[in-house]
Amino acid sequence: MRNLGYKPCLADPDLWMKPEYDPSDSFKYWSYILCYVDDILVIHHQPEDVIKKIDKYFPLKPGSVGKPDMYPGTKLREITFTNGEKAWAMSPSKYMQESVSNCVKHVKANMSDMFNLPKKAINPFPTDYEPMEDGTPELDAKHASYYQQLIGIMRWMVEIGRIDIDTQVLMLASHVALPQQGHMSAALHIMAYLRDHHNSRMVFDAHEQEIVKSDFKKYDWQEFY
């Protein structure tokens, strides 16, 4: 990667970056190469040229090069806007369904005497539920271990696009050291919500949105803080 002019990102050594520009419009940007075990994803205005250079150092499997259709836990696709411009989008729906299915099986086999997934979940959290105010008994070691697994699974869900459960998952994650029965019920409620709302897609729109500052009222927060 260094021979190609790329350097690793300080935050993630598997992300390689290089300043580039598109000669067609002189647009300056960062070119990226993402490495995941034996898979790579190239972000460049001419990705085929970069992949050919990589192939000289690490021979690629014939037929393995093409537009991405999968990213760990998500399906990728290119979409076209009404104005004809294109953008990439990803959907974690399949990962959601598989995770919820595994959760349902585990609960029925190991926890049905104490817990279950709600039949209907309109929102990620039960109404008016506050994890910090939960006064239910602590989970035993077995159930606490599974609670920690659920938090890990849901944290990854947030990473791959389900930002609608981010706040709730973070609130529950702060109790992984000593989870209580109410926390487990809330985690299962989130899984039920994902069961009913698994079909989502995040579109990476490169357009800069125009923000009208006059739409936002100015307040002096000094006294508040």
Side-chain angles (χ1 to χ4, degrees):
M1 296 300 182
R2 296 185 191 276
N3 289 339
L4 298 179
Y6 288 82
K7 62 180 182 180
C9 173
L10 294 177
D12 186 346
D14 291 325
L15 172 62
W16 295 77
M17 51 200 296
K18 174 185 177 183
E20 273 284 6
Y21 79 97
D22 188 342
S24 64
D25 56 7
S26 298
F27 178 73
K28 295 181 179 180
Y29 69 98
W30 283 93
S31 171
Y32 296 110
I33 299 178
L34 292 81
C35 302
Y36 183 80
V37 191
D38 59 349
D39 294 326
I40 60 172
L41 179 65
V42 177
I43 301 175
H44 193 275
H45 67 279
Q46 291 182 324
E48 297 86 356
D49 293 346
V50 178
I51 291 176
K52 287 179 182 178
K53 293 178 181 178
I54 295 174
D55 187 42
K56 294 180 180 180
Y57 294 92
F58 303 101
L60 303 176
K61 186 186 298 183
S64 64
V65 178
K67 291 185 177 181
D69 59 357
M70 289 291 295
Y71 181 78
T74 67
K75 289 185 69 68
L76 301 176
R77 60 174 293 192
E78 199 173 20
I79 66 169
T80 304
F81 294 114
T82 54
N83 61 2
E85 296 189 15
K86 296 182 179 181
W88 285 96
M90 70 178 187
S91 171
S93 178
K94 184 177 181 181
Y95 183 80
M96 302 294 109
Q97 295 180 74
E98 291 179 353
S99 298
V100 171
S101 176
N102 292 335
C103 177
V104 170
K105 292 176 183 177
H106 181 88
V107 171
K108 287 184 177 179
N110 304 282
M111 304 163 56
S112 59
D113 58 328
M114 294 180 61
F115 301 100
N116 57 70
L117 272 71
K119 294 183 178 179
K120 187 177 182 180
I122 300 176
N123 302 310
F125 253 11
T127 305
D128 298 328
Y129 178 68
E130 296 290 343
M132 292 185 64
E133 299 177 1
D134 195 300
T136 57
E138 299 172 6
L139 293 174
D140 58 30
K142 180 180 178 181
H143 288 149
S145 176
Y146 184 66
Y147 176 82
Q148 294 166 352
Q149 292 181 43
L150 281 181
I151 295 300
I153 291 171
M154 291 189 289
R155 289 285 294 270
W156 181 245
M157 291 178 178
V158 174
E159 290 288 334
I160 59 178
R162 290 309 299 255
I163 57 176
D164 53 327
I165 64 171
D166 187 22
T167 300
Q168 292 79 9
V169 172
L170 287 175
M171 292 171 71
L172 293 181
S174 64
H175 299 278
V176 292
L178 194 64
Q180 296 162 251
Q181 293 180 11
H183 299 143
M184 175 67 85
S185 295
L188 295 177
H189 192 282
I190 295 178
M191 296 301 284
Y193 169 78
L194 295 170
R195 175 200 62 205
D196 299 339
H197 305 84
H198 64 84
N199 195 18
S200 67
R201 180 176 293 121
M202 179 176 287
V203 179
F204 300 99
D205 185 358
H207 294 93
E208 290 190 17
Q209 301 299 319
E210 182 179 353
I211 300 177
V212 182
K213 294 184 179 180
S214 59
D215 290 344
F216 299 88
K217 294 182 179 180
K218 290 186 177 181
Y219 292 97
D220 183 4
W221 293 96
Q222 184 174 357
E223 184 178 344
F224 176 81
Y225 290 105

Short mmCIF file of all heavy atoms in Angstrom, two decimals, residues 46-106:
data_model
loop_
_atom_site.label_atom_id
_atom_site.label_comp_id
_atom_site.label_asym_id
_atom_site.label_seq_id
_atom_site.Cartn_x
_atom_site.Cartn_y
_atom_site.Cartn_z
N GLN A 46 -11.10 6.10 -10.48
CA GLN A 46 -10.80 5.02 -11.42
C GLN A 46 -10.33 3.80 -10.62
O GLN A 46 -9.14 3.45 -10.63
CB GLN A 46 -9.74 5.45 -12.44
CG GLN A 46 -10.22 6.50 -13.43
CD GLN A 46 -9.16 6.88 -14.45
OE1 GLN A 46 -7.99 6.93 -14.14
NE2 GLN A 46 -9.61 7.14 -15.67
N PRO A 47 -11.23 3.15 -9.91
CA PRO A 47 -10.84 2.05 -9.01
C PRO A 47 -10.18 0.87 -9.73
O PRO A 47 -9.35 0.18 -9.15
CB PRO A 47 -12.17 1.63 -8.37
CG PRO A 47 -13.22 2.10 -9.32
CD PRO A 47 -12.69 3.36 -9.91
N GLU A 48 -10.56 0.65 -10.99
CA GLU A 48 -9.97 -0.48 -11.72
C GLU A 48 -8.46 -0.34 -11.85
O GLU A 48 -7.73 -1.32 -11.73
CB GLU A 48 -10.60 -0.61 -13.11
CG GLU A 48 -12.09 -0.92 -13.11
CD GLU A 48 -12.94 0.33 -13.02
OE1 GLU A 48 -12.36 1.43 -12.88
OE2 GLU A 48 -14.18 0.21 -13.07
N ASP A 49 -7.98 0.89 -12.06
CA ASP A 49 -6.54 1.12 -12.19
C ASP A 49 -5.82 0.80 -10.89
O ASP A 49 -4.72 0.22 -10.89
CB ASP A 49 -6.27 2.57 -12.59
CG ASP A 49 -6.77 2.88 -14.01
OD1 ASP A 49 -7.05 1.92 -14.75
OD2 ASP A 49 -6.86 4.08 -14.34
N VAL A 50 -6.44 1.17 -9.77
CA VAL A 50 -5.83 0.90 -8.47
C VAL A 50 -5.79 -0.61 -8.21
O VAL A 50 -4.79 -1.15 -7.73
CB VAL A 50 -6.60 1.62 -7.34
CG1 VAL A 50 -5.98 1.30 -5.98
CG2 VAL A 50 -6.61 3.12 -7.58
N ILE A 51 -6.88 -1.29 -8.54
CA ILE A 51 -6.95 -2.74 -8.31
C ILE A 51 -5.91 -3.48 -9.15
O ILE A 51 -5.30 -4.45 -8.70
CB ILE A 51 -8.38 -3.25 -8.61
CG1 ILE A 51 -9.35 -2.72 -7.55
CG2 ILE A 51 -8.41 -4.77 -8.65
CD1 ILE A 51 -10.79 -3.07 -7.80
N LYS A 52 -5.69 -3.01 -10.37
CA LYS A 52 -4.67 -3.64 -11.23
C LYS A 52 -3.28 -3.51 -10.61
O LYS A 52 -2.47 -4.43 -10.68
CB LYS A 52 -4.70 -3.00 -12.61
CG LYS A 52 -5.91 -3.39 -13.45
CD LYS A 52 -5.89 -2.69 -14.80
CE LYS A 52 -7.12 -3.06 -15.62
NZ LYS A 52 -7.14 -2.35 -16.94
N LYS A 53 -3.02 -2.37 -9.98
CA LYS A 53 -1.73 -2.17 -9.32
C LYS A 53 -1.60 -3.08 -8.11
O LYS A 53 -0.53 -3.65 -7.85
CB LYS A 53 -1.59 -0.70 -8.91
CG LYS A 53 -1.48 0.27 -10.08
CD LYS A 53 -1.38 1.70 -9.60
CE LYS A 53 -1.30 2.67 -10.79
NZ LYS A 53 -1.24 4.09 -10.34
N ILE A 54 -2.69 -3.24 -7.35
CA ILE A 54 -2.67 -4.13 -6.19
C ILE A 54 -2.45 -5.57 -6.64
O ILE A 54 -1.73 -6.34 -6.00
CB ILE A 54 -3.99 -4.00 -5.39
CG1 ILE A 54 -4.12 -2.61 -4.80
CG2 ILE A 54 -4.06 -5.06 -4.29
CD1 ILE A 54 -5.44 -2.35 -4.11
N ASP A 55 -3.04 -5.92 -7.78
CA ASP A 55 -2.94 -7.29 -8.31
C ASP A 55 -1.49 -7.67 -8.60
O ASP A 55 -1.13 -8.85 -8.57
CB ASP A 55 -3.79 -7.40 -9.57
CG ASP A 55 -3.88 -8.83 -10.08
OD1 ASP A 55 -4.05 -9.74 -9.25
OD2 ASP A 55 -3.76 -9.03 -11.30
N LYS A 56 -0.64 -6.70 -8.88
CA LYS A 56 0.76 -6.98 -9.15
C LYS A 56 1.50 -7.43 -7.89
O LYS A 56 2.47 -8.18 -7.96
CB LYS A 56 1.44 -5.75 -9.75
CG LYS A 56 0.92 -5.35 -11.13
CD LYS A 56 1.63 -4.11 -11.64
CE LYS A 56 1.11 -3.73 -13.03
NZ LYS A 56 1.80 -2.50 -13.56
N TYR A 57 1.02 -6.95 -6.73
CA TYR A 57 1.65 -7.32 -5.45
C TYR A 57 0.96 -8.54 -4.83
O TYR A 57 1.61 -9.42 -4.28
CB TYR A 57 1.58 -6.15 -4.48
CG TYR A 57 2.41 -4.95 -4.90
CD1 TYR A 57 1.85 -3.92 -5.65
CD2 TYR A 57 3.75 -4.85 -4.55
CE1 TYR A 57 2.60 -2.81 -6.03
CE2 TYR A 57 4.52 -3.75 -4.93
CZ TYR A 57 3.94 -2.74 -5.67
OH TYR A 57 4.69 -1.65 -6.04
N PHE A 58 -0.37 -8.54 -4.90
CA PHE A 58 -1.16 -9.65 -4.34
C PHE A 58 -2.13 -10.13 -5.41
O PHE A 58 -3.17 -9.50 -5.63
CB PHE A 58 -1.94 -9.18 -3.10
CG PHE A 58 -1.09 -8.60 -2.02
CD1 PHE A 58 -0.99 -7.23 -1.84
CD2 PHE A 58 -0.40 -9.43 -1.15
CE1 PHE A 58 -0.20 -6.69 -0.85
CE2 PHE A 58 0.39 -8.90 -0.15
CZ PHE A 58 0.50 -7.53 0.01
N PRO A 59 -1.82 -11.21 -6.09
CA PRO A 59 -2.69 -11.72 -7.17
C PRO A 59 -4.12 -11.93 -6.68
O PRO A 59 -4.36 -12.61 -5.67
CB PRO A 59 -2.03 -13.04 -7.57
CG PRO A 59 -0.59 -12.86 -7.18
CD PRO A 59 -0.61 -12.04 -5.93
N LEU A 60 -5.07 -11.33 -7.38
CA LEU A 60 -6.48 -11.44 -7.00
C LEU A 60 -7.12 -12.63 -7.69
O LEU A 60 -6.74 -13.01 -8.79
CB LEU A 60 -7.21 -10.14 -7.39
CG LEU A 60 -6.64 -8.85 -6.78
CD1 LEU A 60 -7.39 -7.64 -7.32
CD2 LEU A 60 -6.72 -8.89 -5.26
N LYS A 61 -8.11 -13.20 -7.01
CA LYS A 61 -8.81 -14.36 -7.57
C LYS A 61 -9.56 -13.96 -8.83
O LYS A 61 -10.29 -12.96 -8.84
CB LYS A 61 -9.79 -14.92 -6.54
CG LYS A 61 -10.47 -16.22 -6.96
CD LYS A 61 -11.53 -16.63 -5.94
CE LYS A 61 -10.91 -16.89 -4.59
NZ LYS A 61 -11.93 -17.36 -3.61
N PRO A 62 -9.39 -14.71 -9.92
CA PRO A 62 -10.10 -14.38 -11.17
C PRO A 62 -11.61 -14.31 -10.96
O PRO A 62 -12.20 -15.19 -10.32
CB PRO A 62 -9.72 -15.53 -12.11
CG PRO A 62 -8.41 -16.04 -11.57
CD PRO A 62 -8.50 -15.87 -10.07
N GLY A 63 -12.23 -13.27 -11.48
CA GLY A 63 -13.67 -13.12 -11.35
C GLY A 63 -14.14 -12.51 -10.04
O GLY A 63 -15.35 -12.35 -9.82
N SER A 64 -13.19 -12.18 -9.17
CA SER A 64 -13.57 -11.64 -7.86
C SER A 64 -13.67 -10.11 -7.85
O SER A 64 -14.13 -9.53 -6.88
CB SER A 64 -12.56 -12.07 -6.79
OG SER A 64 -11.28 -11.52 -7.05
N VAL A 65 -13.23 -9.47 -8.93
CA VAL A 65 -13.22 -8.01 -8.99
C VAL A 65 -14.53 -7.50 -9.60
O VAL A 65 -14.97 -7.97 -10.65
CB VAL A 65 -12.02 -7.49 -9.81
CG1 VAL A 65 -12.05 -5.97 -9.90
CG2 VAL A 65 -10.72 -7.97 -9.19
N GLY A 66 -15.15 -6.53 -8.94
CA GLY A 66 -16.39 -5.97 -9.46
C GLY A 66 -16.96 -4.96 -8.48
O GLY A 66 -16.37 -4.68 -7.44
N LYS A 67 -18.10 -4.40 -8.83
CA LYS A 67 -18.75 -3.45 -7.92
C LYS A 67 -19.16 -4.19 -6.64
O LYS A 67 -19.63 -5.32 -6.70
CB LYS A 67 -19.98 -2.83 -8.59
CG LYS A 67 -19.65 -1.88 -9.73
CD LYS A 67 -20.90 -1.21 -10.26
CE LYS A 67 -20.56 -0.21 -11.35
NZ LYS A 67 -21.78 0.48 -11.87
N PRO A 68 -18.99 -3.55 -5.49
CA PRO A 68 -19.33 -4.22 -4.23
C PRO A 68 -20.82 -4.47 -4.09
O PRO A 68 -21.64 -3.64 -4.47
CB PRO A 68 -18.83 -3.23 -3.16
CG PRO A 68 -18.88 -1.90 -3.84
CD PRO A 68 -18.52 -2.17 -5.28
N ASP A 69 -21.16 -5.64 -3.57
CA ASP A 69 -22.57 -5.95 -3.30
C ASP A 69 -22.79 -6.36 -1.85
O ASP A 69 -23.93 -6.51 -1.41
CB ASP A 69 -23.08 -7.05 -4.23
CG ASP A 69 -22.28 -8.34 -4.09
OD1 ASP A 69 -21.30 -8.36 -3.32
OD2 ASP A 69 -22.65 -9.33 -4.74
N MET A 70 -21.70 -6.54 -1.11
CA MET A 70 -21.80 -6.91 0.30
C MET A 70 -20.75 -6.17 1.11
O MET A 70 -19.66 -5.89 0.63
CB MET A 70 -21.60 -8.42 0.48
CG MET A 70 -22.74 -9.27 -0.02
SD MET A 70 -24.25 -9.09 0.96
CE MET A 70 -23.74 -9.78 2.53
N TYR A 71 -21.13 -5.81 2.32
CA TYR A 71 -20.20 -5.29 3.32
C TYR A 71 -20.60 -6.00 4.60
O TYR A 71 -21.79 -6.26 4.78
CB TYR A 71 -20.35 -3.77 3.46
CG TYR A 71 -19.41 -3.15 4.47
CD1 TYR A 71 -18.06 -2.93 4.15
CD2 TYR A 71 -19.84 -2.81 5.74
CE1 TYR A 71 -17.19 -2.37 5.07
CE2 TYR A 71 -18.98 -2.26 6.67
CZ TYR A 71 -17.66 -2.05 6.33
OH TYR A 71 -16.80 -1.51 7.25
N PRO A 72 -19.65 -6.37 5.47
CA PRO A 72 -20.00 -7.19 6.64
C PRO A 72 -21.35 -6.86 7.27
O PRO A 72 -21.50 -5.86 7.94
CB PRO A 72 -18.84 -6.91 7.60
CG PRO A 72 -17.68 -6.69 6.70
CD PRO A 72 -18.25 -5.96 5.50
N GLY A 73 -22.33 -7.71 7.02
CA GLY A 73 -23.65 -7.54 7.61
C GLY A 73 -24.64 -6.75 6.77
O GLY A 73 -25.79 -6.60 7.16
N THR A 74 -24.21 -6.22 5.61
CA THR A 74 -25.12 -5.40 4.82
C THR A 74 -25.06 -5.75 3.34
O THR A 74 -24.09 -6.33 2.86
CB THR A 74 -24.78 -3.90 4.94
OG1 THR A 74 -23.50 -3.66 4.34
CG2 THR A 74 -24.74 -3.46 6.38
N LYS A 75 -26.11 -5.38 2.62
CA LYS A 75 -26.13 -5.49 1.17
C LYS A 75 -25.97 -4.10 0.57
O LYS A 75 -26.61 -3.15 1.01
CB LYS A 75 -27.44 -6.13 0.68
CG LYS A 75 -27.56 -7.62 1.00
CD LYS A 75 -28.82 -8.19 0.39
CE LYS A 75 -28.76 -8.25 -1.13
NZ LYS A 75 -27.78 -9.22 -1.63
N LEU A 76 -25.09 -3.99 -0.41
CA LEU A 76 -24.83 -2.71 -1.06
C LEU A 76 -25.47 -2.69 -2.44
O LEU A 76 -25.54 -3.71 -3.12
CB LEU A 76 -23.32 -2.48 -1.21
CG LEU A 76 -22.50 -2.47 0.08
CD1 LEU A 76 -21.03 -2.31 -0.25
CD2 LEU A 76 -22.94 -1.35 1.00
N ARG A 77 -25.91 -1.51 -2.84
CA ARG A 77 -26.43 -1.35 -4.19
C ARG A 77 -26.30 0.12 -4.61
O ARG A 77 -26.27 1.02 -3.77
CB ARG A 77 -27.90 -1.78 -4.29
CG ARG A 77 -28.84 -1.02 -3.40
CD ARG A 77 -30.28 -1.38 -3.63
NE ARG A 77 -30.73 -0.95 -4.94
CZ ARG A 77 -32.03 -0.93 -5.30
NH1 ARG A 77 -32.95 -1.36 -4.44
NH2 ARG A 77 -32.40 -0.51 -6.48
N GLU A 78 -26.20 0.31 -5.90
CA GLU A 78 -26.11 1.66 -6.45
C GLU A 78 -27.51 2.10 -6.85
O GLU A 78 -28.21 1.38 -7.55
CB GLU A 78 -25.18 1.67 -7.65
CG GLU A 78 -24.64 3.04 -8.02
CD GLU A 78 -23.58 2.98 -9.11
OE1 GLU A 78 -23.52 1.96 -9.83
OE2 GLU A 78 -22.81 3.94 -9.24
N ILE A 79 -27.91 3.28 -6.40
CA ILE A 79 -29.25 3.78 -6.72
C ILE A 79 -29.13 5.04 -7.57
O ILE A 79 -28.09 5.70 -7.58
CB ILE A 79 -30.07 4.07 -5.46
CG1 ILE A 79 -29.45 5.23 -4.68
CG2 ILE A 79 -30.20 2.84 -4.58
CD1 ILE A 79 -30.36 5.75 -3.57
N THR A 80 -30.19 5.36 -8.27
CA THR A 80 -30.22 6.55 -9.13
C THR A 80 -31.30 7.51 -8.65
O THR A 80 -32.46 7.11 -8.47
CB THR A 80 -30.50 6.16 -10.59
OG1 THR A 80 -29.51 5.21 -11.03
CG2 THR A 80 -30.45 7.37 -11.50
N PHE A 81 -30.92 8.77 -8.42
CA PHE A 81 -31.88 9.78 -8.00
C PHE A 81 -32.74 10.21 -9.19
O PHE A 81 -32.45 9.88 -10.35
CB PHE A 81 -31.16 10.99 -7.41
CG PHE A 81 -30.43 10.71 -6.13
CD1 PHE A 81 -29.05 10.79 -6.07
CD2 PHE A 81 -31.13 10.37 -4.98
CE1 PHE A 81 -28.37 10.54 -4.89
CE2 PHE A 81 -30.47 10.11 -3.79
CZ PHE A 81 -29.09 10.20 -3.75
N THR A 82 -33.79 10.96 -8.91
CA THR A 82 -34.69 11.42 -9.96
C THR A 82 -34.00 12.34 -10.96
O THR A 82 -34.44 12.45 -12.10
CB THR A 82 -35.90 12.15 -9.34
OG1 THR A 82 -35.42 13.20 -8.48
CG2 THR A 82 -36.76 11.19 -8.53
N ASN A 83 -32.91 12.99 -10.51
CA ASN A 83 -32.19 13.89 -11.42
C ASN A 83 -31.14 13.15 -12.24
O ASN A 83 -30.38 13.77 -12.99
CB ASN A 83 -31.53 15.03 -10.64
CG ASN A 83 -30.52 14.52 -9.63
OD1 ASN A 83 -30.26 13.32 -9.52
ND2 ASN A 83 -29.94 15.45 -8.88
N GLY A 84 -31.07 11.83 -12.10
CA GLY A 84 -30.14 11.02 -12.88
C GLY A 84 -28.82 10.75 -12.21
O GLY A 84 -28.05 9.90 -12.67
N GLU A 85 -28.51 11.45 -11.12
CA GLU A 85 -27.26 11.22 -10.41
C GLU A 85 -27.35 9.95 -9.57
O GLU A 85 -28.44 9.53 -9.16
CB GLU A 85 -26.92 12.43 -9.54
CG GLU A 85 -26.66 13.69 -10.34
CD GLU A 85 -26.12 14.82 -9.48
OE1 GLU A 85 -25.67 14.53 -8.34
OE2 GLU A 85 -26.14 15.97 -9.92
N LYS A 86 -26.19 9.35 -9.31
CA LYS A 86 -26.15 8.06 -8.62
C LYS A 86 -25.48 8.18 -7.26
O LYS A 86 -24.69 9.09 -7.01
CB LYS A 86 -25.42 7.02 -9.47
CG LYS A 86 -26.13 6.70 -10.78
CD LYS A 86 -25.38 5.63 -11.57
CE LYS A 86 -26.12 5.29 -12.86
NZ LYS A 86 -25.42 4.23 -13.63
N ALA A 87 -25.80 7.22 -6.40
CA ALA A 87 -25.19 7.17 -5.06
C ALA A 87 -25.26 5.73 -4.56
O ALA A 87 -26.06 4.92 -5.06
CB ALA A 87 -25.91 8.10 -4.09
N TRP A 88 -24.42 5.43 -3.59
CA TRP A 88 -24.42 4.09 -3.01
C TRP A 88 -25.35 4.04 -1.80
O TRP A 88 -25.52 5.02 -1.09
CB TRP A 88 -23.02 3.67 -2.60
CG TRP A 88 -22.16 3.29 -3.75
CD1 TRP A 88 -21.26 4.08 -4.42
CD2 TRP A 88 -22.16 2.02 -4.42
NE1 TRP A 88 -20.70 3.38 -5.45
CE2 TRP A 88 -21.21 2.12 -5.48
CE3 TRP A 88 -22.83 0.82 -4.24
CZ2 TRP A 88 -20.95 1.05 -6.34
CZ3 TRP A 88 -22.57 -0.24 -5.08
CH2 TRP A 88 -21.64 -0.12 -6.12
N ALA A 89 -25.94 2.89 -1.58
CA ALA A 89 -26.82 2.69 -0.44
C ALA A 89 -26.54 1.32 0.16
O ALA A 89 -26.12 0.40 -0.54
CB ALA A 89 -28.29 2.79 -0.86
N MET A 90 -26.75 1.19 1.47
CA MET A 90 -26.57 -0.11 2.11
C MET A 90 -27.75 -0.43 3.00
O MET A 90 -28.36 0.46 3.61
CB MET A 90 -25.27 -0.16 2.91
CG MET A 90 -25.22 0.65 4.17
SD MET A 90 -23.62 0.42 5.01
CE MET A 90 -23.92 1.32 6.53
N SER A 91 -28.07 -1.71 3.06
CA SER A 91 -29.21 -2.18 3.85
C SER A 91 -28.77 -3.35 4.74
O SER A 91 -28.26 -4.35 4.23
CB SER A 91 -30.35 -2.63 2.95
OG SER A 91 -31.37 -3.26 3.71
N PRO A 92 -28.97 -3.23 6.06
CA PRO A 92 -28.61 -4.31 6.98
C PRO A 92 -29.77 -5.26 7.25
O PRO A 92 -29.76 -6.00 8.24
CB PRO A 92 -28.21 -3.55 8.25
CG PRO A 92 -29.12 -2.36 8.24
CD PRO A 92 -29.34 -2.00 6.79
N SER A 93 -30.78 -5.26 6.39
CA SER A 93 -32.00 -6.02 6.64
C SER A 93 -31.74 -7.51 6.90
O SER A 93 -32.29 -8.10 7.83
CB SER A 93 -32.96 -5.87 5.46
OG SER A 93 -34.13 -6.64 5.65
N LYS A 94 -30.87 -8.11 6.08
CA LYS A 94 -30.61 -9.54 6.24
C LYS A 94 -29.98 -9.84 7.59
O LYS A 94 -30.34 -10.81 8.26
CB LYS A 94 -29.69 -10.02 5.11
CG LYS A 94 -29.44 -11.52 5.13
CD LYS A 94 -28.59 -11.96 3.95
CE LYS A 94 -28.36 -13.47 3.98
NZ LYS A 94 -27.51 -13.90 2.84
N TYR A 95 -29.03 -9.01 8.00
CA TYR A 95 -28.39 -9.19 9.30
C TYR A 95 -29.40 -9.03 10.43
O TYR A 95 -29.37 -9.76 11.42
CB TYR A 95 -27.26 -8.18 9.46
CG TYR A 95 -26.48 -8.33 10.75
CD1 TYR A 95 -25.49 -9.30 10.88
CD2 TYR A 95 -26.73 -7.48 11.83
CE1 TYR A 95 -24.78 -9.43 12.07
CE2 TYR A 95 -26.02 -7.61 13.01
CZ TYR A 95 -25.04 -8.58 13.12
OH TYR A 95 -24.34 -8.70 14.30
N MET A 96 -30.33 -8.06 10.28
CA MET A 96 -31.37 -7.86 11.28
C MET A 96 -32.21 -9.13 11.45
O MET A 96 -32.42 -9.61 12.57
CB MET A 96 -32.31 -6.71 10.88
CG MET A 96 -31.68 -5.37 10.64
SD MET A 96 -30.98 -4.61 12.10
CE MET A 96 -29.25 -4.79 11.70
N GLN A 97 -32.67 -9.66 10.33
CA GLN A 97 -33.56 -10.82 10.38
C GLN A 97 -32.87 -12.04 10.97
O GLN A 97 -33.47 -12.77 11.78
CB GLN A 97 -34.07 -11.12 8.97
CG GLN A 97 -34.95 -10.03 8.38
CD GLN A 97 -35.43 -10.36 6.99
OE1 GLN A 97 -36.30 -11.20 6.78
NE2 GLN A 97 -34.86 -9.69 5.99
N GLU A 98 -31.62 -12.26 10.60
CA GLU A 98 -30.89 -13.41 11.12
C GLU A 98 -30.62 -13.25 12.62
O GLU A 98 -30.75 -14.22 13.38
CB GLU A 98 -29.58 -13.59 10.37
CG GLU A 98 -29.77 -14.03 8.92
CD GLU A 98 -28.45 -14.18 8.18
OE1 GLU A 98 -27.40 -13.81 8.77
OE2 GLU A 98 -28.47 -14.64 7.02
N SER A 99 -30.28 -12.05 13.03
CA SER A 99 -30.00 -11.79 14.45
C SER A 99 -31.25 -11.98 15.30
O SER A 99 -31.21 -12.58 16.37
CB SER A 99 -29.44 -10.37 14.64
OG SER A 99 -28.22 -10.22 13.95
N VAL A 100 -32.37 -11.45 14.82
CA VAL A 100 -33.63 -11.59 15.55
C VAL A 100 -34.05 -13.05 15.61
O VAL A 100 -34.50 -13.54 16.66
CB VAL A 100 -34.73 -10.73 14.90
CG1 VAL A 100 -36.09 -11.05 15.54
CG2 VAL A 100 -34.42 -9.25 15.05
N SER A 101 -33.89 -13.78 14.51
CA SER A 101 -34.25 -15.20 14.48
C SER A 101 -33.44 -15.98 15.50
O SER A 101 -33.98 -16.82 16.24
CB SER A 101 -34.03 -15.76 13.07
OG SER A 101 -34.29 -17.15 13.04
N ASN A 102 -32.14 -15.72 15.57
CA ASN A 102 -31.29 -16.41 16.54
C ASN A 102 -31.67 -16.04 17.97
O ASN A 102 -31.64 -16.88 18.88
CB ASN A 102 -29.82 -16.05 16.30
CG ASN A 102 -29.29 -16.64 15.00
OD1 ASN A 102 -29.80 -17.64 14.51
ND2 ASN A 102 -28.27 -16.01 14.44
N CYS A 103 -32.06 -14.77 18.16
CA CYS A 103 -32.47 -14.31 19.49
C CYS A 103 -33.75 -15.02 19.94
O CYS A 103 -33.85 -15.48 21.07
CB CYS A 103 -32.67 -12.80 19.48
SG CYS A 103 -33.28 -12.10 21.03
N VAL A 104 -34.72 -15.11 19.03
CA VAL A 104 -35.99 -15.79 19.35
C VAL A 104 -35.74 -17.24 19.74
O VAL A 104 -36.30 -17.75 20.72
CB VAL A 104 -36.96 -15.70 18.15
CG1 VAL A 104 -38.18 -16.60 18.39
CG2 VAL A 104 -37.39 -14.26 17.92
N LYS A 105 -34.88 -17.92 18.99
CA LYS A 105 -34.57 -19.32 19.29
C LYS A 105 -33.90 -19.46 20.65
O LYS A 105 -34.23 -20.38 21.42
CB LYS A 105 -33.65 -19.89 18.21
CG LYS A 105 -34.31 -20.04 16.84
CD LYS A 105 -33.32 -20.53 15.80
CE LYS A 105 -33.96 -20.60 14.42
NZ LYS A 105 -32.97 -21.01 13.38
N HIS A 106 -32.98 -18.55 20.95
CA HIS A 106 -32.28 -18.62 22.24
C HIS A 106 -33.24 -18.38 23.40
O HIS A 106 -33.18 -19.08 24.41
CB HIS A 106 -31.15 -17.60 22.27
CG HIS A 106 -30.37 -17.62 23.55
ND1 HIS A 106 -29.28 -18.44 23.75
CD2 HIS A 106 -30.53 -16.93 24.73
CE1 HIS A 106 -28.80 -18.27 24.97
NE2 HIS A 106 -29.54 -17.34 25.58
#
